[in-house]
Amino acid sequence: MKRLRLLLAAATALVAVAQLHAAKELNLFGWSEYVPQAVLDKFTAETGIKVNYETYASNEEMLSKLLGGASAYDLIQPTDYVIEALRAKGKLEAIDFKNVPNFKNISKEYTNLPHDPEQKYSVPYMAGTVGIVVNTEKIKEPITGLDDVFSGKYASRIVTLNDNRELLTWAMRTLDLDINKVTPDAIAKARPVLAKWLPQIKLYDSDSPKTALLNGDVDVGVVWSGEAAILYRENKKFAYVLPKEGAHLWIDSLAIPKGAPHKAAAEQFINFILRPEISALISEAFPYTNPNTEARKLLTPEQLANPASYPSATKLETFRDIGKAASVVDKLITDLKGGS
Amino acid sequence: MTTTADPRAAIASTQRQPGTTGWLLLSPMLLWLGLFVVAPTAILFVYSFCQRDELGQVVFEFTWSNYARIADPVYLNILVRSLWYAGLTTAICLVVGYPVAYYIARSPVQRRSWLLLTVMIPFWISFLLRTYAWISLLKAEGPVSGLLEWAHAIATPLDILYTPTAVMIGLVYTYLPFMILPIFTSAEKLDNSLIEAALDLGANPVRTLAHVIFPLTKPGIYAGVLLVFVPSIGMFAVTDLMGGARVPMIGNVIQNQFGQARDWPFGAALGITFLALFVIAFWFLHDRGEVRR
């Protein structure tokens, strides 16, 4: 009997410890290659909160897991238009900004944008653009826009993202259409443009378009700025140009999913990330555009000179959620690729 | 249950119907089939009649529209192209694989095991890794191009990576062992005295091949054709990586529905249609294999 009571006491103690532990945890579900381990370690050392960092390679993968309810995530890193879709479906927890005083460091350029107009559900993490990378050793003529890339002169020397909406958006830009109004009419107008462009593309690669550029299999690409920044770091012959027709600005933000078990820890983490010195640490590892004004002051002149991280201005626009129209876009590009 | 004392009767009755022991022995496989084949297929079947909402979640509202969409020429074209690529892959694998398999099967035992080993060794390395190796080999500034240029076989750098040729190379490379192994098994069992008899009775080598060797190795050929043709229709990694995702195959379209497009119901409808085609093809080949045997 005595032994039983002892056992029971031990069990109770164990449960208590486990609960204490549970409160000291944060389940972060973020992009792969995006949050340096050093930053997570610093956070744990300072707060005692253990960070479980699980990663994904696309917004769609994240949505599948999040909506499938597989695991209880506290913090996710969706891109702008996904924030909009999740918010519209009531899948996000409003962030208590009283717990995130460092939010003041974020540049006004990146707040109150259409995907979160009242800035209640998201905090910008990193931003970037989709632009043109040119191997200036191979291409001597100036390239300033998408029209130049797809003029026909560089047929079979082009790599682009394998992203149906991006491809459609580029065509819509050259036609001066609103990129967020994906209507049957807009698609009909964009179709002939894409029918002319797509056969010129040597390969589509969203995961690592830099590989084909580095290998010399292509000379010009329309790619994520992050890829371009890495290419530029590797070799200065890779120039980054924002298309004169306008470019896609994407903002990956931190957001708390509905019913997150450790909301307080999530807010604590957001506030930590927004500290200038921590944010600069992230920029050092991953050369995206840092929306944190105070952190930018800590960056080296060389980091700031990388044109892919901090490009000169052009018309920048974020994506809005297009809902079910995504199927139509998917069909259009599949059709055009299949026909080529 | 069989409790009779006569062992012959016991054997006869167990052959008709498996007893408890038989079911027990079968159960792991049945459980496996039920959990990982029947159940997922059933889910896929139900999904294929559902719709998706704005976020891409499956909504359980009945519709035929996913199947109607498959009939669209866009997808039919892609399906026909996939069948053509798979057919070509199978044909090349057969032409290249048959002599290899036959040679290995007719080799002395010692050499035979070594040769078989060389066919199997690639399986020890991850498939994706081998595909990336092909990319390194075939790239414009890669070793194959360099060698050919050095030998003056080509004037400009090799331009086959990210083309349909590269896709064919990848497909044939991936599936060749699946053609060689079953034909090898058939050819190994081939009775040499039958070939000698044919030659003794005046058949020339071509006739012996056509009327004795081929018919006797047919089960292996059918198995090889099935093992190469079926998976190569659905292949998406090779077309994505070595083909530069330029020419979509039906496998890519399906993968895209479950990934980027987030249209699971349509992907499910494609999968079910595809499965039905497989079953028909299998039936056809299997029947013929049985009859000819």
Side-chain angles (χ1 to χ4, degrees):
Chain A
M1 194 66 202
K2 206 174 181 184
R3 202 193 283 171
L4 186 72
R5 220 180 302 164
L6 200 71
L7 257 171
L8 267 174
T12 323
L14 259 174
V15 169
V17 168
Q19 272 170 349
L20 203 72
H21 236 84
K24 290 270 186 191
E25 251 183 358
L26 174 71
N27 301 319
L28 169 65
F29 193 31
W31 291 89
S32 51
E33 303 277 304
Y34 217 16
V35 187
Q37 190 58 43
V39 168
L40 300 180
D41 291 344
K42 269 192 182 183
F43 179 70
T44 307
E46 203 178 294
T47 60
I49 297 171
K50 184 171 162 261
V51 183
N52 306 313
Y53 182 28
E54 198 183 317
T55 63
Y56 53 84
S58 73
N59 279 305
E60 289 70 26
E61 187 190 338
M62 184 273 290
L63 278 174
S64 288
K65 287 199 179 157
L66 181 73
L67 301 174
S71 194
Y73 301 115
D74 298 310
L75 205 53
I76 50 174
Q77 259 180 327
T79 306
D80 39 50
Y81 69 99
V82 180
I83 297 259
E84 180 180 9
L86 284 170
R87 182 175 56 87
K89 285 269 173 185
K91 302 278 182 195
L92 295 179
E93 210 62 80
I95 295 170
D96 188 350
F97 280 88
K98 279 203 298 292
N99 298 331
V100 192
N102 289 338
F103 185 73
K104 63 176 193 310
N105 296 340
I106 295 287
S107 158
K108 290 285 163 285
E109 269 177 86
Y110 297 96
T111 59
N112 303 85
L113 291 168
H115 62 271
D116 190 3
E118 293 166 57
Q119 204 65 48
K120 271 168 70 177
Y121 297 94
S122 64
V123 170
Y125 179 75
M126 283 287 159
T129 47
V130 174
I132 304 164
V133 177
V134 186
N135 180 341
T136 50
E137 270 175 21
K138 294 277 179 66
I139 294 179
K140 301 290 181 195
E141 305 90 347
I143 301 264
T144 58
L146 294 160
D147 275 341
D148 299 331
V149 175
F150 295 105
S151 64
K153 245 164 115 178
Y154 310 111
S156 284
R157 305 304 301 168
I158 305 170
V159 57
T160 70
L161 299 175
N162 191 16
D163 187 310
N164 298 339
R165 179 149 184 216
E166 285 290 346
L167 288 163
L168 174 68
T169 301
W170 305 336
M172 287 170 83
R173 279 232 173 74
T174 56
L175 296 166
D176 250 330
L177 295 168
D178 182 342
I179 60 160
N180 286 311
K181 292 217 168 72
V182 181
T183 59
D185 183 48
I187 287 192
K189 280 186 185 147
R191 194 188 170 96
V193 177
L194 286 168
K196 228 174 67 194
W197 286 6
L198 298 197
Q200 301 178 30
I201 297 171
K202 174 109 179 169
L203 80 148
Y204 303 87
D205 186 356
S206 291
D207 300 325
S208 182
K210 61 178 176 295
T211 309
L213 283 155
L214 277 173
N215 283 350
D217 284 313
V218 292
D219 303 327
V220 57
V222 187
V223 303
W224 312 118
S225 55
E227 291 282 307
I230 295 166
L231 282 169
Y232 179 80
R233 256 193 340 202
E234 199 97 359
N235 192 326
K236 301 282 180 283
K237 73 178 178 191
F238 291 110
Y240 186 71
V241 185
L242 281 181
K244 62 175 184 292
E245 294 92 349
H248 171 200
L249 168 75
W250 48 263
I251 301 165
D252 289 335
S253 301
L254 292 162
I256 303 174
K258 201 87 192 166
H262 313 105
K263 188 168 182 276
E267 283 165 352
Q268 212 176 335
F269 186 78
I270 297 175
N271 198 45
F272 177 79
I273 285 276
L274 291 176
R275 283 190 208 161
E277 67 279 11
I278 300 296
S279 188
L281 212 58
I282 300 170
S283 273
E284 198 183 304
F286 306 111
Y288 296 95
T289 310
N290 195 329
N292 190 317
T293 315
E294 296 304 310
R296 269 200 217 182
K297 291 177 186 161
L298 301 177
L299 298 183
T300 63
E302 200 193 340
Q303 282 174 322
L304 289 168
N306 191 329
S309 305
Y310 302 98
S312 52
T314 183
K315 189 174 98 183
L316 290 172
E317 271 175 294
T318 53
F319 273 4
R320 304 291 306 275
D321 180 44
I322 54 169
K324 288 183 180 172
S327 290
V328 187
V329 180
D330 181 62
K331 192 180 152 189
L332 169 79
I333 303 293
T334 308
D335 188 8
L336 290 171
K337 274 190 185 177
S340 65
Chain B
M1 208 87 65
T2 55
T3 46
T4 161
D6 184 0
R8 271 179 310 171
I11 290 167
S13 77
T14 43
Q15 272 174 348
R16 265 196 300 277
Q17 213 166 36
T20 319
T21 331
W23 282 116
L24 265 175
L25 286 172
L26 269 177
S27 63
M29 193 192 74
L30 289 178
L31 202 69
W32 173 271
L33 281 176
L35 278 176
F36 299 115
V37 179
V38 179
T41 311
I43 296 173
L44 219 57
F45 187 74
V46 172
Y47 274 7
S48 71
F49 293 102
C50 292
Q51 303 182 28
R52 57 160 288 197
D53 70 358
E54 287 82 358
L55 266 182
Q57 285 171 290
V58 177
V59 182
F60 292 92
E61 267 171 53
F62 182 84
T63 175
W64 285 105
S65 64
N66 299 311
Y67 286 98
R69 196 173 154 196
I70 294 176
D72 193 299
V74 176
Y75 302 105
L76 286 181
N77 275 339
I78 292 173
L79 186 65
V80 169
R81 182 191 300 120
S82 306
L83 289 171
W84 159 243
Y85 271 63
L88 195 61
T89 306
T90 313
I92 297 176
C93 282
L94 185 61
V95 170
V96 177
Y98 194 94
V100 175
Y102 190 80
Y103 177 77
I104 298 178
R106 304 269 103 190
S107 298
V109 179
Q110 184 66 28
R111 200 195 305 162
R112 196 186 303 169
S113 26
W114 279 109
L115 288 170
L116 262 189
L117 194 67
T118 55
V119 176
M120 313 260 231
I121 279 175
F123 288 114
W124 298 354
I125 305 162
S126 144
F127 159 73
L128 278 180
L129 218 59
R130 285 182 279 137
T131 307
Y132 279 110
W134 271 110
I135 294 177
S136 296
L137 282 176
L138 294 182
K139 65 187 182 190
E141 291 169 8
V144 174
S145 178
L147 203 68
L148 289 173
E149 270 185 284
W150 176 78
H152 293 288
I154 48 171
T156 50
L158 199 61
D159 186 31
I160 56 171
L161 190 57
Y162 311 123
T163 66
T165 314
V167 174
M168 278 318 296
I169 293 176
L171 286 173
V172 170
Y173 167 76
T174 308
Y175 292 115
L176 191 58
F178 295 96
M179 185 64 87
I180 294 178
L181 295 176
I183 295 178
F184 163 80
T185 318
S186 270
E188 199 190 21
K189 282 189 246 147
L190 193 61
D191 190 348
N192 220 18
S193 54
L194 291 172
I195 301 170
E196 282 163 10
L199 292 170
D200 284 350
L201 293 172
N204 60 24
V206 176
R207 203 150 166 213
T208 312
L209 189 71
H211 292 282
V212 179
I213 300 175
F214 271 151
L216 286 173
T217 50
K218 228 159 206 175
I221 297 176
Y222 281 124
V225 165
L226 213 60
L227 282 177
V228 172
F229 187 73
V230 172
S232 57
I233 303 180
M235 168 56 88
F236 60 87
V238 167
T239 38
D240 253 2
L241 295 172
M242 291 177 71
R246 258 158 87 189
V247 185
M249 303 269 258
I250 201 72
N252 301 93
V253 176
I254 295 178
Q255 184 220 16
N256 206 26
Q257 301 313 315
F258 288 94
Q260 210 186 58
R262 281 186 64 69
D263 196 343
W264 289 22
F266 181 52
L270 281 166
I272 290 289
T273 309
F274 208 22
L275 190 67
L277 287 176
F278 278 165
V279 171
I280 293 167
F282 181 78
W283 218 346
F284 184 72
L285 280 170
H286 190 73
D287 260 13
R288 290 186 60 131
E290 288 285 293
V291 170
R292 295 292 166 96
R293 214 180 294 168

